[in-house]
Amino acid sequence: MRLNGRADAIVEGFTLAPAEERALVDACLAGDRGAFDVIVERHRRQVYQLCYRYVGSHEDAADLAQDTFIRAYKGLKGFKGQSSLSTWLYRIAVNVCLNRVSLKTPRPEALGPQDREDGGAERPDTVLLREERAAEVRAAIRQLPPKQRATLILRVYHELPHEEIAGVLGSSVGAAKANFFHALANLKKLLR
Amino acid sequence: MSHLTDLELIAAIEDAADRLPAARRRHLDACESCRGRADDLRGVIVAAADAAVPEPSPLFWQHFSARVRQGIDGSAPGESAHHGRLAAWLTQASLRWGAFAALIVVVMVAGVWQVNAPSKHTSSQAAAERAAEWRRTHPLPDPAEPNDLDADPAWAVVRTVADSVDWSDAVVAGIDAQPDAVETVARTLSPEERSELVKLLLAEAKRKGA
């Protein structure tokens, strides 16, 4: 499976069948650099968003997402296909974020439209209010304990089942569900 | 009947209420408190889901892919399947500090051992070899008989000067020898060397006004 030059033709976020994912990984392991480009193109947004929700800064999220893909590339032999490629990448991203969060106090999130797409045809004050509320929620999420934060992000935004979240975090399914409950309860308190 | 547990509430808000036992479902329908808690949790999920991540510019994505490509340039895929696990292990903050502390201890222990432990070729062995070499290249004059040394007027000067030196002063000055060591060394000196030593000692005694 040669994919050089095809990366730009791949639709971002379109789900591949497990066999296609396996073929992509095998092509990459066989030295096809274009295959890894395809993996990056397909998953970069989701990985970036996961990192952003963790750290709340565009610059840090970009660094963490880049680190995630570099680690994924170097550890590609470790992908056995037992989970989807996206879940495997989330696992790496969560570990990268957990390590980073333990080392560094997150920067406060910058409000403003710099380096962002504009809000379309919405009224500016509506956009501003919505962005402020979203920033409050994201800031509250970042105050959650690390594993609760990871659980909430993976469950709410990436819609991973509790079984896969348990796999990502190396915990039991029951612990993943309990983490989710406590994350919601704590978030409720923080948003009062 | 008791209220729903945390995990039962999670099942209830995730459209998995049908997996709850019938009795628990009936409780949920009847209990205002449990329904209220479930509604609160649903509200938090809705609020969280609405908080979208700001979308970076399209230009960012182009740069991002280039950055990743640059980051993996020169490395082969999967090359760190084992090293990666070790690296991941080491990058956990607490373990990294632990490993760092352990490394420091190892270095210190190695340093202390290097200083204190006898080497394979010990310093005493080396000294003995050097002494043997010295003896080969500097054959002693016919072993000076104690009587000869005592009769040597030059050596009498050395002994006199040495007698006037307080032992503790000598130790403070860095002269630390075993008893009879001076005599032992003096016996190995040639008459010319002994004479030179006497000159030096007399000069030193004059300089100090002795």
Side-chain angles (χ1 to χ4, degrees):
Chain A
M1 182 177 180
R2 301 297 296 179
L3 292 152
N4 280 325
R6 282 190 50 204
D8 55 348
I10 300 295
V11 180
E12 197 169 338
F14 184 80
T15 308
L16 284 175
E20 291 172 308
E21 283 190 344
R22 186 70 251 176
L24 259 182
V25 171
D26 288 344
C28 188
L29 287 170
D32 186 348
R33 191 59 77 84
F36 194 71
D37 286 344
V38 174
I39 291 173
V40 173
E41 303 258 334
R42 297 187 56 77
H43 296 282
R44 61 190 180 187
R45 188 183 306 272
Q46 294 293 308
V47 169
Y48 167 85
Q49 289 184 347
L50 188 155
C51 297
Y52 187 96
R53 291 188 191 282
Y54 243 92
V55 293
S57 136
H58 170 68
E59 288 76 20
D60 287 344
D63 287 348
L64 291 170
Q66 182 191 5
D67 198 14
T68 298
F69 282 110
I70 291 171
R71 283 172 190 236
Y73 182 79
K74 291 181 176 175
L76 209 53
K77 279 182 186 165
F79 175 69
K80 304 295 181 197
Q82 290 159 339
S83 63
S84 68
L85 192 55
S86 59
T87 301
W88 185 70
L89 288 169
Y90 294 158
R91 179 177 303 160
I92 298 171
V94 165
N95 282 326
V96 167
C97 289
L98 284 171
N99 292 335
R100 173 66 158 265
V101 167
S102 66
L103 291 176
K104 192 176 170 183
T105 307
R107 294 181 219 177
E109 184 173 339
L111 283 175
Q114 69 271 24
D115 203 27
R116 308 273 159 76
E117 287 183 335
D118 61 31
E122 274 184 288
R123 285 165 52 106
D125 54 345
T126 309
V127 172
L128 191 62
L129 277 174
R130 202 185 59 237
E131 282 194 358
E132 278 180 3
R133 178 62 179 163
E136 279 174 23
V137 173
R138 289 193 300 266
I141 290 171
R142 286 197 303 279
Q143 291 181 53
L144 294 174
K147 287 209 170 181
Q148 287 182 23
R149 196 185 328 172
T151 304
L152 183 100
I153 291 170
L154 293 171
R155 181 74 189 127
V156 173
Y157 302 106
H158 299 277
E159 297 178 351
L160 256 59
H162 292 293
E163 291 73 15
E164 287 195 21
I165 295 172
V168 167
L169 294 175
S171 62
S172 67
V173 177
K177 287 182 180 176
N179 268 335
F180 187 47
F181 174 84
H182 291 300
L184 293 175
N186 286 331
L187 192 57
K188 179 172 175 278
K189 286 181 203 159
L190 289 164
L191 290 175
R192 261 181 199 155
Chain B
M1 178 172 278
S2 61
H3 293 301
L4 263 59
T5 64
D6 298 348
L7 297 191
E8 287 171 338
L9 275 170
I10 290 296
I13 63 173
E14 292 192 322
D15 300 325
D18 53 342
R19 282 187 230 152
L20 291 173
R24 305 305 285 155
R25 286 202 304 271
R26 279 198 300 277
H27 173 83
L28 181 61
D29 290 339
C31 178
E32 198 172 327
S33 167
C34 286
R35 278 207 315 276
R37 288 176 72 201
D39 287 344
D40 281 350
L41 295 178
R42 281 195 199 95
V44 176
I45 292 177
V46 169
D50 280 348
V53 167
E55 177 64 18
S57 74
L59 200 59
F60 165 74
W61 294 119
Q62 288 174 24
H63 289 159
F64 180 79
S65 293
R67 280 172 61 178
V68 172
R69 232 172 277 131
Q70 201 174 8
I72 62 178
D73 221 22
S75 54
E79 72 176 7
S80 65
H82 299 291
H83 294 106
R85 279 195 286 276
L86 177 64
W89 182 78
L90 285 173
T91 50
Q92 289 180 27
S94 57
L95 290 171
R96 184 171 35 229
W97 282 110
F100 182 67
L103 181 65
I104 295 285
V105 169
V106 167
V107 168
M108 287 173 68
V109 168
V112 169
W113 182 83
Q114 188 72 22
V115 168
N116 293 329
S119 65
K120 197 187 281 182
H121 195 77
T122 62
S123 56
S124 60
Q125 279 177 321
E129 284 171 11
R130 279 197 302 275
E133 176 65 16
W134 173 263
R135 277 187 224 103
R136 271 196 302 278
T137 54
H138 298 79
L140 287 176
D142 216 13
E145 293 297 323
N147 289 343
D148 291 342
L149 191 61
D150 290 340
D152 188 337
W155 183 240
V157 175
V158 174
R159 192 184 295 127
T160 306
V161 171
D163 283 346
S164 66
V165 174
D166 186 78
W167 182 248
S168 59
D169 290 345
V171 170
V172 170
I175 303 166
D176 189 4
Q178 296 299 312
D180 297 331
V182 174
E183 283 80 1
T184 306
V185 170
R187 284 189 194 108
T188 67
L189 297 176
S190 67
E192 293 77 21
E193 288 167 334
R194 222 179 283 159
S195 163
E196 186 62 26
L197 176 63
V198 168
K199 279 183 200 163
L200 289 170
L201 286 169
L202 287 172
E204 183 67 12
K206 276 183 191 163
R207 196 173 63 81
K208 288 185 175 171

